[in-house]
Amino acid sequence: MKTDHLTIKELTDAVGGGVTPRMVRHYHTLGLLPQPQRSEGNYRLYTAQDVQRLRRMMALKQQGFQLSHIRQLLDSHPEAALDNTLIIQLQQQYHTVMQQITQLRQTAAALESLLGRDRNCQIAQAEALSQLKQLDVDAQAGLGHLDQIWSHFDTEVTTHPEHFQESLQLLLPDLSHYSEITVHLLHQLVLACGDVSLASFVRFGHEPVAAARKALKAGCSVVVDVPAVATTLDQTRLAHLGNPVTTLIDDPHIAGAADAEQAFWQDNHWQQRLQEAPVGCVLVVGYAPSVLLAVCQWIDQGKLQPALVIGMPIGFSHAPAAKRQLMTLPVPYITIQGSLGGGLLAAVALNALVETLIEKPDCHCYLSRP
């Protein structure tokens, strides 16, 4: 910024992200941006504060906030009391988004039912497409006929076992930029939860496959957060490799994420045990978000030095925050963005790495691709 004031074109260039002068003028009309000063030639003149406000607006818009809510958020004072009206409006937006997700999930399920068919179902698939093309959607009877089409289609699945890999190849996004080992891991995660979209939310950092194979070959310890994760691990293969499994919150009464979270907070013994995790271990967190938060804090402080962190706790505030912290650390990790996760998925991730290590010990595909 060479001058104190910017033209509208210079403003949009400074903000970037596809912002156009037309959008800026629209935001003025809505009151999202204050009316700027004018030059002698009646051109709009903007300041650094305008750039900052517009950047904040675009960041919030990218996160899915409605423009009316963005204005309220930006215009509220940090020291002001919580605006209950805004919270109610955000709740309403959330419920609307969830309804949209539900409708999209129903659409995806129909498409999966049609497209996610192996070779043995292709004849029935072609027949279903033909009948869908001729379906009379204007009549109520047509809706009933749609159910009949799916019912007839589904009878074909009783004639042979499902070939999962063929279905996944039709449904998953392009994974060609991943190594063979990573693709196998993603396949196993999707099959464990039945949600193809999960593959788009898995994040890998700092060559986790290479770190996992090196540590597991060396007989590292595997430290899990709760007994439910331990029981889901492939104990036979881990024993073959010589990897002992240790449960952090070793309480058989832990039944879920809420129990694990409370136990970790209420008993300092579990926190002390976490700090005593062996150097070079593989940490698997599938339930308690606070365990992963503590892991991130102590890695940052040099108190923990794991070879790999598989961080997939579930939760709606702490878990996403813990995963974001994990992704900022210079440590190999595998995680799932947002609230998605759970002990089963965390265990499946490690099991997939162990499986490929034993079955493909000489594979080096991961050295050129993540």
Side-chain angles (χ1 to χ4, degrees):
M1 303 178 191
K2 297 181 180 180
T3 63
D4 291 338
H5 292 92
L6 304 173
T7 65
I8 192 168
K9 180 64 168 58
E10 291 170 334
L11 170 72
T12 56
D13 288 345
V15 173
V19 181
T20 65
R22 182 177 180 180
M23 292 168 63
V24 173
R25 289 190 288 267
H26 180 59
Y27 294 150
H28 284 310
T29 303
L30 297 177
L32 282 162
L33 279 174
Q35 290 294 335
Q37 300 179 36
R38 295 277 184 166
S39 67
E40 291 183 359
N42 202 33
Y43 290 104
R44 293 180 173 90
L45 299 177
Y46 296 93
T47 65
Q49 287 76 17
D50 295 318
V51 173
Q52 186 64 21
R53 183 178 177 91
L54 188 52
R55 283 176 176 167
R56 289 172 180 164
M57 287 171 49
M58 300 313 298
L60 290 169
K61 184 180 178 183
Q62 189 175 25
Q63 290 297 312
F65 287 93
Q66 294 179 353
L67 292 179
S68 58
H69 299 158
I70 291 174
R71 179 178 179 180
Q72 291 175 270
L73 285 168
L74 294 182
D75 291 343
S76 62
H77 298 287
E79 66 276 4
L82 192 64
D83 187 342
N84 289 329
T85 301
L86 177 58
I87 293 299
I88 292 173
Q89 291 176 350
L90 292 176
Q91 286 177 327
Q92 291 172 343
Q93 183 184 352
Y94 173 77
H95 292 312
T96 299
V97 170
M98 292 306 297
Q99 289 175 350
Q100 294 170 345
I101 290 175
T102 300
Q103 292 172 349
L104 288 171
R105 182 64 258 178
Q106 291 171 342
T107 302
L111 292 170
E112 287 166 356
S113 181
L114 184 63
L115 299 174
R117 301 284 171 159
D118 51 38
R119 225 168 277 170
N120 291 315
C121 284
Q122 285 184 350
I123 294 177
Q125 185 184 57
E127 182 183 345
L129 284 170
S130 176
Q131 293 185 37
L132 286 171
K133 182 178 180 180
Q134 300 174 21
L135 180 65
D136 181 6
V137 295
D138 294 328
Q140 186 63 34
L143 298 177
H145 184 52
L146 180 60
D147 292 335
Q148 293 176 13
I149 292 176
W150 292 124
S151 177
H152 175 68
F153 196 20
D154 290 340
T155 60
E156 297 294 326
V157 304
T158 63
T159 63
H160 66 282
E162 182 167 355
H163 300 286
F164 290 106
Q165 295 307 316
E166 290 183 15
S167 298
L168 287 174
Q169 289 174 4
L170 292 169
L171 298 174
L172 281 169
D174 180 19
L175 302 178
S176 61
H177 56 291
Y178 285 123
S179 69
E180 179 184 346
I181 293 175
T182 303
V183 169
H184 173 72
L185 188 154
L186 289 170
H187 282 191
Q188 296 303 100
L189 288 174
V190 168
L191 289 174
C193 68
D195 186 351
V196 177
S197 70
L198 180 77
S200 301
F201 295 96
V202 180
R203 294 292 178 268
F204 304 92
H206 305 286
E207 301 182 351
V209 173
R213 290 171 73 89
K214 180 179 179 181
L216 292 168
K217 282 182 180 179
C220 73
S221 296
V222 175
V223 180
V224 303
D225 55 344
V226 297
V229 177
T231 58
T232 316
L233 293 179
D234 191 335
Q235 300 283 351
T236 302
R237 283 192 170 103
L238 286 169
H240 173 76
L241 291 171
N243 304 115
V245 177
T246 302
T247 303
L248 174 64
I249 308 176
D250 194 10
D251 182 346
H253 300 294
I254 297 293
D259 293 340
E261 186 79 348
Q262 290 300 316
F264 188 73
W265 272 95
Q266 292 173 359
D267 193 338
N268 290 332
H269 174 64
W270 308 129
Q271 301 182 32
Q272 181 62 35
R273 287 189 64 175
L274 178 58
Q275 292 191 53
E276 295 170 355
V279 174
C281 68
V282 172
L283 284 171
V284 184
V285 183
Y287 275 81
S290 288
V291 171
L292 186 57
L293 285 169
V295 166
C296 293
Q297 178 184 351
W298 292 331
I299 288 176
D300 190 48
Q301 295 175 357
K303 297 178 181 179
L304 272 180
Q305 299 179 44
L308 170 69
V309 179
I310 298 177
M312 300 181 183
I314 53 178
F316 305 99
S317 60
H318 287 52
K323 294 168 184 177
R324 284 192 293 267
Q325 288 189 26
L326 177 62
M327 289 187 284
T328 66
L329 297 175
V331 61
Y333 65 80
I334 304 173
T335 190
I336 303 174
Q337 282 187 315
S339 60
L340 297 172
L344 174 62
L345 293 179
V348 164
L350 180 61
N351 288 343
L353 292 169
V354 171
E355 177 189 353
T356 50
L357 174 58
I358 292 176
E359 296 184 358
K360 300 178 180 181
D362 301 320
C363 178
H364 296 95
C365 61
Y366 60 89
L367 296 177
S368 58
R369 287 182 289 178

